[in-house]
Each structure stands twice: as C-alpha cells, then as structure tokens.
C-alpha cells in the first residue's frame, strides 16, 4: 500500500492550508464596504490592489463559498473573493456574495432590477445582454465545482405572450449563445413556465400564464436549473406593440451551491481539478483496473478540448510477487499430488510454499507461470509416456505438458509448460504429475524448474483487501 500511495499525485483541497487568521483577514477586507471596480471585456472585475490586499498573509483563495464555509463555519455571510478556475491560472479572482448558512455563491449582474421592455412588435425586438461581475470562464468553473446551479427569472406581462399562434416572441440565450424557450426547471426540449410544470396556469391548455395573451396583468416566474447551460446571457421579448401591452423582466443572480463529490481515488484530470490541483503536468489516476498516467492541462477547464491526454498504464503492484524454485538432488514419481521443491532461488512475497509445492495468489490480477523439467524413461516398454499439468484450487486447468519415448533402453526427454492466468486473492496454483508409465520418474538434480510472477494487479479490487 505504501508503494501504491507513493506513486499517486498528492491530493489536497486548496483550503487545507488556509489559516483561520487569513480568513479573518478576508472578512475585514469584505467589511471595507467599498471596492473599486474597473471595466474589462464587458465584465466588472475587481481592482488588482484589492486582490493583493486580501491575498496577503494566507496561502490561497477559496474556489467557492462552500469551500470558504467548510474551512471556517464561523464566517458570516457577505462579500468575498473566490477563484473558481484555480489560483495562479486562468482569470482573475471574482468578488461574490456568499451565503454562509447554505454555502451558496451568488454572482450578480447589471440587470437584476425590474426592467420594462417597452413597445415593439417583432419576435425578440427587445434584446438585452446580461453583463456579470465575473468572466464566463470563472462562471463555468464555478458550475463544474458545484453540486447545483440555478437562476430565477420573472416576467410580468399584460397582453405580451412568450408564444402566440405558433410564433415564439420571447426566449433567452444560454452561456454559449444558443436560444432557449423554457422558463423554469431543466427540460430544455419543451416551452414551459413554472405553472406548466405544476399544472396551474390560468389557461389549462397552455404552459405559461403570459401565453394566454389576456389583456390583464399576469406573471410567469420560475427557477432554471440546467447548470450546464447557465448563466443566462441575453433576454429577448416581443409582441408588446399595443399601448395596453407591457412586459417587465426580473432576472436573479447566478447562484451555485454544494460541491461535486469525488468518491475514492481520483480517476481523471477532472477529479484532480475538483479537489484542487492547478499545476499542469503528468499525474497518476485510477483506471478501470489499473493505475494510469495522464497529462492534465489545468490552464483549461474540464469541458475544454485538450484538458486531459491519456499517456499509458502505470505498472503498480501493492505486493511484489515472483518466485523461482527447483528440485535439487532427488528424483520424484508421485502421481496426482502437488510436486514439492527443495531449492529456492527466489521467492519475493513468500507466496510459494516449497514443501507443499503450492503457490497462493496474494493479490487479484494476472499471473504468468512456467514449468520445465527432465523425465527419465527406463525403456521397459516399447512406448512410454509422462504427463504433467497445472492445477488451480484442486481442479485440473487442462494446461498440460508431455514427454514420451519409443524403443528399448533408458532415455531422458525434456518438457515445458507456460501459462498466463487471471487469479483472485487466495487462489492456489501447483503442478502435478497426472500420469506416467511404470518406471518413469521426474529427474531432480536441478533439471526441474518452476517459476511465476504477478504481471498485472487489479488495483481497484486490491485496494479493498489491503
């Protein structure tokens, strides 16, 4: 087990070295109240001096509010710096609101107030881009790290439908710019609002209140929970051309909470990224049954092309096993019992018992065995045979070796056997003389050899028995 752990890349949450005094420093920064902002690429980003002030005196910035809360449950709700895509890589840290009761991270934008869409006739004639206080990369990273993300949306309408007579007048654009026509839940394949999900729309035949196009004030509101396509980047509305028509949208912040769980050993670059790794390079991860080597490019996010490159398998054995034994000065002619040995050349792992002749597998995996020797034929009969075979747990494996002789006069004949076998922990392997003619015997004197070794260990199973 020590050997196995030593080969694995060390794994630790970034917050594991984050001192409490530093968290207190963060809170003091948050309580300063005013933070200077600058514009960059359409997003509001924090002033570098403020980042430097918060970074001083501590080893890392948490990636989410959940991490900050887990590091110090006594932290109060408020504004904090976080760095979802990893400290020292990617985009600059972002300034967010943390609800420390729930561990929710909230990213605000420039359109959270209720906004009137005005009057226009065509589909999407009103269109408003949503500018967040974070880059799209940081928001994508936050979603990857979080167990769930959501965003609330409300539309107060008066004779201003989302859809009417088969025409879509309103939609929103997801993080990739694609159009979406659902206004609650996670099913992007159907046009629906919250009232359509619960079945209480004002018109039972429709999925949204506003789609009734009734000349009375109505409201549709819901929470969108498809974290893979959030946040909303643009809102589009239309068909409000009448003087009596009106539409007012209210869009909530982008909010994420919880954290994705990594069960057992990391099995990918994504798992390593989720637990805090940010330095690109070669890593060992757990494959289906073996340890594997991968290259992780942590300048990218898990869904980016080139984030992980598979390199190959890693030959890791938690219990090294190989043996080579011989028969020394004695001949042998016992049938249907394990062949014993009396010379040990090598027995790493002590899995081979010379006296009993039985090998016991210490780990689940694939093993290779080879057996060779010299049979002496007395020449009593015109034809004489020698048969041997590999046995497992008392059963003949139908893996055989054979030597024979024709004619009178004694003679020596060689034989050999090789096999690769999948074995479970505790399986037993041995050689037997299955049958031989009268007077035939297995020659000793270092002419009979039995060797075996563990080729490939099934790490996924072996970890449960160490």
């Amino acid at each position: 087990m020590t050997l196995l752990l030593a080969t694995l890349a060390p794994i630790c949450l970034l917050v594991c070295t984050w001192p409490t005094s530093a968290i207190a420093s963060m809170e003091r920064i948050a309580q300063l109240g005013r933070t200077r902002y600058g514009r960059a690429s359409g997003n509001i980003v924090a002033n570098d001096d403020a980042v430097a002030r918060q970074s001083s005196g501590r080893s890392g910035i948490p990636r989410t509010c959940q991490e900050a809360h887990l590091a110090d449950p006594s932290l109060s709700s408020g504004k904090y710096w976080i760095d979802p895509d990893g400290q020292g890589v990617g985009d600059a840290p972002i300034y967010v609101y943390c609800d420390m009761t729930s561990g929710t991270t909230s990213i605000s934008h420039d359109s959270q107030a209720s906004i009137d869409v005005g009057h226009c006739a065509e589909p999407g004639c009103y269109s408003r881009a949503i500018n967040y206080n974070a880059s799209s990369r940081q928001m994508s990273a936050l979603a990857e790290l979080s167990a769930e993300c959501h965003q609330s949306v409300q539309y107060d309408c008066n004779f201003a439908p989302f859809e009417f007579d088969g025409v879509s007048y309103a939609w929103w654009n997801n993080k990739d710019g694609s159009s979406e026509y659902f206004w609650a839940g996670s099913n992007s394949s159907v046009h629906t609002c919250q009232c359509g999900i619960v079945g209480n729309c004002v018109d039972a035949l429709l999925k949204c209140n506003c789609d009734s196009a009734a000349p009375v004030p109505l409201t549709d509101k819901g929470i969108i929970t498809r974290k893979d396509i959030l946040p909303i980047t643009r809102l589009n509305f239309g068909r409000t051309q009448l003087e009596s028509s009106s539409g007012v949208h209210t869009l909530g912040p982008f909010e994420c909470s919880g954290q994705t769980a990594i069960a057992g050993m990391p099995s990918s670059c994504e798992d390593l990224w989720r637990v805090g790794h940010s330095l690109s390079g070669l890593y060992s991860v757990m494959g289906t049954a073996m340890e594997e080597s991968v290259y992780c490019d942590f300048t990218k996010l898990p869904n980016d092309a080139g984030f992980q490159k598979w390199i190959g398998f890693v030959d890791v054995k938690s219990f090294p096993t190989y043996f080579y034994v011989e028969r020394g000065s004695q001949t042998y002619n016992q049938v249907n019992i394990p062949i014993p040995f009396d010379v040990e050349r090598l027995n790493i792992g002590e899995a081979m018992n010379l006296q009993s002749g039985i090998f016991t597998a210490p780990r689940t995996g694939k093993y290779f065995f080879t057996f060779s020797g010299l049979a002496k034929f007395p020449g009593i009969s015109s034809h004489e045979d020698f048969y041997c075979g590999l046995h497992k747990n008392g059963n003949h494996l139908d893996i055989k070796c054979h030597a024979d002789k024709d004619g009178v006069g004694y003679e020596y004949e060689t034989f050999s056997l090789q096999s690769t076998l999948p074995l479970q922990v505790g399986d037993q392997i041995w050689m037997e003389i299955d049958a031989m003619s009268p007077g035939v015997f297995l020659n000793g004197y270092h002419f009979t050899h039995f060797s075996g070794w563990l080729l490939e260990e099934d790490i996924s199973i072996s970890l449960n028995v160490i």
Side-chain angles (χ1 to χ4, degrees), residues 207-286:
K207 296 296 183 181
C208 293
N209 289 322
C210 291
D211 286 350
S212 65
V216 293
L218 294 170
T219 296
D220 276 306
K221 55 185 175 181
I223 298 176
I224 298 168
T225 58
R226 276 282 304 274
K227 76 169 187 173
D228 58 316
I229 61 175
L230 289 175
I232 294 172
T233 57
R234 183 176 288 273
L235 290 171
N236 311 276
F237 298 96
R239 208 176 189 279
T240 57
Q241 70 272 30
L242 299 179
E243 189 65 30
S244 58
S245 298
S246 66
V248 176
H249 65 75
T250 307
L251 182 64
F254 178 50
E255 296 182 310
C256 296
S257 63
Q259 61 184 10
T260 51
I262 305 300
M265 297 172 59
S267 61
S268 65
C269 292
E270 182 173 345
D271 285 353
L272 292 169
W273 178 81
R274 289 185 189 282
V275 298
H277 285 273
S278 61
L279 181 63
S280 299
L282 290 174
Y283 288 84
S284 294
V285 297
M286 186 64 220

Side-chain angles (χ1 to χ4, degrees), residues 305-374:
F307 176 72
Q308 174 175 312
K309 181 178 180 181
W310 189 80
I311 302 301
F313 294 105
V314 179
D315 186 16
V316 174
K317 296 180 179 64
S318 61
F319 194 88
T321 304
Y322 37 99
F323 71 91
Y324 168 37
V325 295
E326 299 175 351
R327 285 199 60 82
S329 59
Q330 297 179 354
T331 57
Y332 186 78
N333 63 355
Q334 301 299 306
V335 178
N336 297 327
I337 63 173
I339 300 173
F341 299 87
D342 52 12
V343 177
E344 179 184 289
R345 300 291 187 186
L346 197 64
N347 194 10
I348 303 301
E350 300 296 328
M352 179 63 186
N353 186 306
L354 277 71
Q355 288 72 34
S356 68
I358 296 175
F359 170 85
T360 302
R363 295 288 183 267
T364 296
K366 297 179 180 67
Y367 291 79
F368 177 80
F369 298 97
T370 178
F371 179 69
S372 61
L374 192 66

